[in-house]
Amino acid sequence: MEKKRLIRYTLPALITILFLSACSSKTSFSKQKTTLNLMQTSELTTLDNTNQATMSEFSTLTNLDEGLYKLNSKNEVVPAIAKEVAKPTNGGKTYIIHLRKDARWSNGDKVTAQDFVYSWRRSVDPANKPVYTYVFSGIDNADAVIAGKVSPSKLGIKAISKYKLEITLEHPMQSFNKLVTMPVFLPQDKVFVQKIGTKKYGSNAKYTVSNGAFKITKWTGINDSYVLVKNKYYYAKKQVKLNKISYTTVKDDNTAYNLFKTNKLDDATVSGVVAQGLQNNKNLKKVSRAWTYYLQVNQSKGSPLANVKLRKAVSLVINRKELTQKVLGDGSTPAGSFVSPKTAIDPTTGRDFSTETATSTQSNVKEAKRLWKEGLSEIGKSSVTLSLIAEDTETQKKVAEYIQSAVQSNLSNVSVKVQNLPAKSLSNKKSAGEFDLSLWYWLADYADPINYLGILTTGNSMNPGKYSNSVFDSYLENAQTAKTKSIYWANLRDAEKQLQNTNGIIPLYYVKEDHLVQSGLNGVVYHTAGFADYTRSYWK
């Protein structure tokens, strides 16, 4: 009797405890399902897309804003703020783009055609000190505006009505629709920016608005963490499952790994020694990126490597298989082309562009020695000292040491001096031309070979090695003005081959980006070119 009474009075208590426990678990589970913790490898310094072009900025903007178009999971161009992907008229030179009327900024303002006009003009206005101007080349009057010869108001974009844009090109551009998926072509809320002033815009969360799935909070402009929260005005908010994305700046691979292990990061990128030790980890996800590491070669007048035979010799003593397998060991592969694999399929041949244009990645020390001897004779020197500069990251230090060893041990009468520098110091040295070799990389902004090759035309601001070849330039010009796909792709193939024949740069390896991803995370779109899109991700 007493036993039955005990059970009778204890059972409700047990039910209560179990209920509270279930509620607690449900709350925790619910929080986990709507929050995502991510990392950046450098601090966010601005969200003004018109005058910066950093990886942290572009990756954040990808999850904050939408332009005319965006890329889907197949890396295809699909509508975003535009109602549909426009087809050009006027011989491929005019685009009439109708905008959706339900798009709003995170402050409630409507997204209008004038917001695109305003942003694009700021992006080419010399007074704004823009850094990514070359991608506007081909839009009517862009080059003249950039050079300060005409007013930004002359740029080939205008608002025909509140939700209708007209974009005029100087010549047809086969890659135009892919091009404008880049963050530099995003709109800006003209009313908001003019109200707070261009100097304040994008400097912290208070002075930033967005038109995409999220808006930024808890960012002072100098702190190393910030939070994106769901934008209640987003036209497709029902498709967004997350309530917030928390970003933290993590520069060290060991720190990233430890944060992942303790569930403080849900998607962490790792490289170097840490990545080598995780190649069999069940949470490791290898992401193919349009990302090539290469040596920028100083070819300005008076530089020893202005001699093509000396450049060729340096390239031939580098054993790229050994570099990728023994030094890197993270899944990266030898590069035989500037354009990385899976960037684009050549539609005229059906082949991967990188594969069809790649040259041998084999080293050839015997041939290198012959070319080195002839090159020294041609420049009238018996020996040279080469400066090799690189970033002060763990990976770049190892790669620079390997190149130094390969050159000095295989070629005679040469000394290679290595300097590993912080990013800003490295940039300053390159701008001043104070290097012979610089270890660098190109991560494509959009999936087209011209995004790589275009940065190496004569006088391009992204070409600190001063590579200048009239034949290469003509191929790029022909591609940019091509009226048909066959002409476009034929000229790109020829340009890549000309670049390799003249050793304008020295490709080293294609990057495989290693991510540690918590199980249950779904819906992330890891673009080959551009940046990962987390706006439709969810926990399963």
Side-chain angles (χ1 to χ4, degrees), residues 462-520:
M462 301 289 180
N463 180 14
K466 307 299 182 185
Y467 174 64
S468 179
N469 183 276
S470 60
V471 176
F472 176 83
D473 288 348
S474 67
Y475 286 138
L476 263 295
E477 184 178 352
N478 291 340
Q480 289 170 332
T481 59
K483 293 182 179 180
T484 66
K485 285 185 178 180
S486 59
I487 295 174
Y488 180 74
W489 288 92
N491 277 281
L492 290 183
R493 289 194 299 271
D494 287 339
E496 176 68 64
K497 291 173 184 176
Q498 180 67 10
L499 177 64
Q500 294 176 36
N501 289 339
T502 54
N503 285 95
I505 60 165
I506 300 176
L508 297 174
Y509 60 94
Y510 304 125
V511 176
K512 275 288 193 302
E513 193 171 73
D514 287 337
H515 287 246
L516 288 170
V517 183
Q518 301 287 2
S519 59

Side-chain angles (χ1 to χ4, degrees), residues 102-112 115 162-163 189-193 195 209-211 233:
D102 56 349
R104 289 179 178 268
W105 294 99
S106 53
N107 62 355
D109 290 349
K110 291 187 176 183
V111 180
T112 68
D115 292 337
K162 190 172 184 178
Y163 300 106
D189 184 349
K190 180 181 178 180
V191 174
F192 177 81
V193 179
K195 180 180 178 180
V209 292
S210 54
N211 68 354
Y233 293 107

Side-chain angles (χ1 to χ4, degrees), residues 10-223:
T10 305
L11 190 57
L14 282 171
I15 292 172
T16 301
I17 292 169
L18 289 171
F19 176 75
L20 290 172
S21 177
C23 286
S24 176
S25 297
K26 186 175 181 181
T27 301
S28 176
F29 185 63
S30 176
K31 184 178 180 182
Q32 181 191 31
K33 286 189 69 178
T34 58
T35 300
L36 184 62
N37 297 305
L38 302 177
M39 61 175 278
Q40 296 280 21
T41 56
S42 61
E43 293 86 356
L44 182 65
T45 58
T46 181
L47 282 173
D48 183 347
N49 62 291
T50 65
N51 61 10
Q52 287 294 327
T54 64
M55 290 181 69
S56 59
E57 178 202 5
F58 275 15
S59 63
T60 304
L61 286 170
T62 298
N63 295 286
L64 279 177
D65 286 292
E66 289 188 353
L68 295 172
Y69 312 129
K70 60 184 178 181
L71 299 175
N72 63 13
S73 59
K74 297 179 181 179
N75 291 310
E76 299 168 332
V77 177
V78 294
I81 302 301
K83 284 185 176 181
E84 59 185 7
V85 178
K87 294 182 179 179
T89 58
N90 186 30
K93 294 192 292 184
T94 303
Y95 288 78
I96 302 296
I97 301 175
H98 298 270
L99 308 182
R100 58 187 313 134
K101 297 179 180 180
D102 56 349
R104 289 179 178 268
W105 294 99
S106 53
N107 62 355
D109 290 349
K110 291 187 176 183
V111 180
T112 68
Q114 194 58 239
D115 292 337
F116 283 92
V117 175
Y118 179 70
S119 177
W120 288 26
R121 286 177 179 175
R122 286 196 67 218
S123 292
V124 294
D125 187 350
N128 193 40
K129 298 181 180 179
V131 298
Y132 231 55
T133 54
Y134 82 94
V135 295
F136 284 84
S137 184
I139 298 174
D140 199 30
N141 290 321
D143 292 335
V145 175
I146 294 164
K149 295 179 180 178
V150 300
S151 166
S153 63
K154 300 295 183 181
L155 185 68
I157 180 173
K158 65 180 179 180
I160 297 176
S161 65
K162 190 172 184 178
Y163 300 106
K164 189 176 180 181
L165 271 175
E166 180 182 86
I167 299 171
T168 306
L169 308 182
E170 293 178 345
H171 51 73
M173 295 172 65
Q174 295 292 323
S175 60
F176 180 75
N177 285 335
K178 286 183 181 178
L179 175 71
V180 296
T181 63
M182 289 177 59
V184 72
F185 291 97
L186 290 169
Q188 290 184 352
D189 184 349
K190 180 181 178 180
V191 174
F192 177 81
V193 179
Q194 290 187 330
K195 180 180 178 180
I196 64 169
T198 56
K199 290 184 179 180
K200 289 183 178 179
Y201 178 69
S203 61
N204 58 42
K206 180 181 178 181
Y207 297 132
T208 304
V209 292
S210 54
N211 68 354
F214 296 91
K215 67 176 183 177
I216 192 166
T217 65
K218 298 183 179 180
W219 177 53
T220 65
I222 58 174
N223 56 328

Side-chain angles (χ1 to χ4, degrees), residues 6 43 54 58 139 159-160 176 220 253 272 285 324-325 340 350 421 487 503 526 536 538:
L6 180 64
E43 293 86 356
T54 64
F58 275 15
I139 298 174
I160 297 176
F176 180 75
T220 65
D253 290 307
K285 179 181 180 63
T324 53
Q325 293 184 357
S340 63
L421 305 162
I487 295 174
N503 285 95
Y526 295 99
R536 302 301 192 273
Y538 60 95

Side-chain angles (χ1 to χ4, degrees), residues 442-471:
W442 185 253
L443 175 57
D445 303 297
Y446 60 100
D448 194 286
I450 203 166
N451 186 238
Y452 293 81
L453 300 170
I455 70 169
L456 295 175
T457 51
T458 300
N460 193 291
S461 60
M462 301 289 180
N463 180 14
K466 307 299 182 185
Y467 174 64
S468 179
N469 183 276
S470 60
V471 176

